Amino acid sequence: GMDPADLPLDKYTIAANICDEIVTGGEPRYRCSIMLDSMATHGENIEAIMKSCGGMVIDAVEGSWPLVGTSQPVVATITDDDLVVGQPVRWQAKRSMSELVNSISGTYPEREQLWAMVGYDPVIASDAIAADRRTRDLGMDFPTVRSARQAKQLASIYLKENRLEATAEITVRPRWQMLKPGDWITWNSARYGSKTYIIVEATLYSLESDAPRCKRLVLQERAANMYDAVTAPVVVVPVPPGKPTYLQQVSGLIVSGVMAGAEGRHMPALQASWDAITDVTVSGVEIRWYPVEEPTAIAMTSVPVDTTSVLLIEGVVSNTEY
């Protein structure tokens, strides 16, 4: 429903080109795979797209456009002398402990797993854990991202953004009217230190106000290393199982001639024993024996797999090799 003039094509082209850049692993920097929900509000759909590229929507006088998650050039450096005397300065160095995060983990849809949600490599800030003295994990899923590398990259961006804690709200002189949301600036302050910020909001005071043509800026700390490449996940190449080897004969087989019987009645026999069988595909053991001189006179018996010895009597006579 917006006027095309409020959607500057040049800024959308810049955002698209950044997303198309080939990064570590040979894939585009950012991709989005999403079913837009017609029942959801417009803002929810836009937020889902912005989450997949670590970006934000910029609303300014020139219109509305996406700012993709990547390092931006610093367009201005201001000092305390650029602040308007008499206007309030609000600066906060740290977030509350309840807002801090030192590790992020979650899931993304994996094509090789039939688009099931699988876990990407968690991002952990060991130095932050030491400073916080305990783990503060945040679960962050990326249902619109189909790349393990991209999911981990986005998690890294959000974690580093969380640890850049300084925020400010200042009023600058009219000479800085050209500053707009999305711009990165450096505020070199004698009192608050020198830091780089992104302009989150920018408000121009009217001529009737007590600071005509001055600009009120809402700032959030930023750093170029927020967007450093992460280690690509290890590619696991599936290897099909090899041809199984099944147990074809018993191991540790010992056969000896013995005397069987009781109460004075004795007869020759063979005693066979073997090692216990651990192959789960074996259901039993089959034993065959025959006289060396009569190979066709075969006797046979079968025993369960848990048996490890058997006495063979059938067809056995003395003074004969078997």
Side-chain angles (χ1 to χ4, degrees):
M2 293 184 68
D3 191 316
D6 293 330
L7 303 172
L9 180 60
D10 59 335
K11 298 185 184 299
Y12 276 88
T13 302
I14 292 173
N17 288 340
I18 293 173
C19 291
D20 286 341
E21 290 178 353
I22 302 301
V23 296
T24 304
E27 63 179 38
R29 183 187 297 272
Y30 298 121
R31 286 177 293 179
C32 181
S33 184
I34 182 175
M35 296 288 286
L36 296 176
D37 186 358
S38 62
M39 301 302 293
T41 63
H42 181 64
E44 289 175 344
N45 283 325
I46 295 298
E47 182 180 354
I49 296 174
M50 289 297 97
K51 185 177 181 180
S52 69
C53 64
M56 59 186 293
V57 175
I58 302 299
D59 293 308
V61 176
E62 301 94 326
S64 178
W65 65 89
L67 183 67
V68 173
T70 186
S71 178
Q72 303 290 329
V74 175
V75 301
T77 298
I78 64 174
T79 66
D80 294 340
D81 293 336
D82 294 306
L83 306 186
V84 177
V85 177
Q87 293 296 317
V89 175
R90 298 185 178 91
W91 186 81
Q92 181 174 322
K94 301 292 183 180
R95 302 179 189 272
S96 67
M97 291 296 288
S98 61
E99 297 176 310
L100 289 178
V101 174
N102 50 41
S103 67
I104 295 181
S105 59
T107 60
Y108 74 101
E110 172 54 55
R111 179 180 180 180
E112 300 299 330
Q113 300 290 336
L114 299 178
W115 302 111
M117 298 296 289
V118 301
Y120 56 83
D121 290 344
V123 180
I124 302 172
S126 301
D127 54 343
I129 293 178
D132 298 340
R133 298 184 180 180
R134 67 184 181 92
T135 301
R136 298 175 180 273
D137 184 61
L138 173 66
M140 183 173 288
D141 297 332
F142 296 100
T144 66
V145 174
R146 57 188 178 96
S147 161
R149 180 214 56 86
Q150 183 178 333
K152 183 179 179 181
Q153 181 74 71
L154 292 170
S156 175
I157 291 172
Y158 289 119
L159 177 57
K160 291 177 180 178
E161 179 183 16
N162 178 265
R163 305 306 299 201
L164 294 171
E165 305 177 53
T167 58
E169 189 173 346
I170 58 176
T171 302
V172 294
R173 298 181 183 277
R175 66 185 293 250
W176 298 110
Q177 288 183 31
M178 77 293 188
L179 295 178
K180 60 183 180 297
D183 285 344
W184 284 30
I185 66 171
T186 296
W187 178 19
N188 189 2
S189 172
R191 181 174 182 181
Y192 304 112
S194 180
K195 294 181 181 293
T196 299
Y197 299 87
I198 185 174
I199 299 176
V200 179
E201 297 178 17
T203 304
L204 183 65
Y205 284 109
S206 66
L207 293 174
E208 293 77 20
S209 67
D210 56 353
R213 312 306 297 171
C214 295
K215 209 153 195 180
R216 188 73 175 170
L217 304 177
V218 177
L219 308 176
Q220 171 66 56
E221 187 179 1
R222 278 292 188 272
N225 64 3
M226 278 179 56
Y227 306 101
D228 289 347
V230 297
T231 303
V234 178
V235 178
V236 179
V237 179
V239 178
K243 185 177 180 179
T245 301
Y246 297 113
L247 190 64
Q248 298 296 324
Q249 60 186 24
V250 297
S251 59
L253 176 64
I254 298 176
V255 181
S256 56
V258 296
M259 184 178 294
E263 299 178 355
R265 301 179 59 184
H266 301 285
M267 64 188 73
L270 299 174
Q271 176 74 42
S273 63
W274 54 88
D275 296 339
I277 299 173
T278 58
D279 187 340
V280 296
T281 64
V282 176
S283 60
V285 178
E286 185 178 276
I287 303 99
R288 299 184 183 191
W289 64 100
Y290 55 87
V292 172
E293 295 182 356
E294 298 181 54
T296 59
I298 301 174
M300 183 184 71
T301 187
S302 297
V303 296
V305 67
D306 56 350
T307 301
T308 58
S309 67
V310 65
L311 188 64
L312 311 175
I313 299 176
E314 181 183 351
V316 177
V317 295
S318 61
N319 299 322
T320 305
E321 291 186 357
Y322 289 85

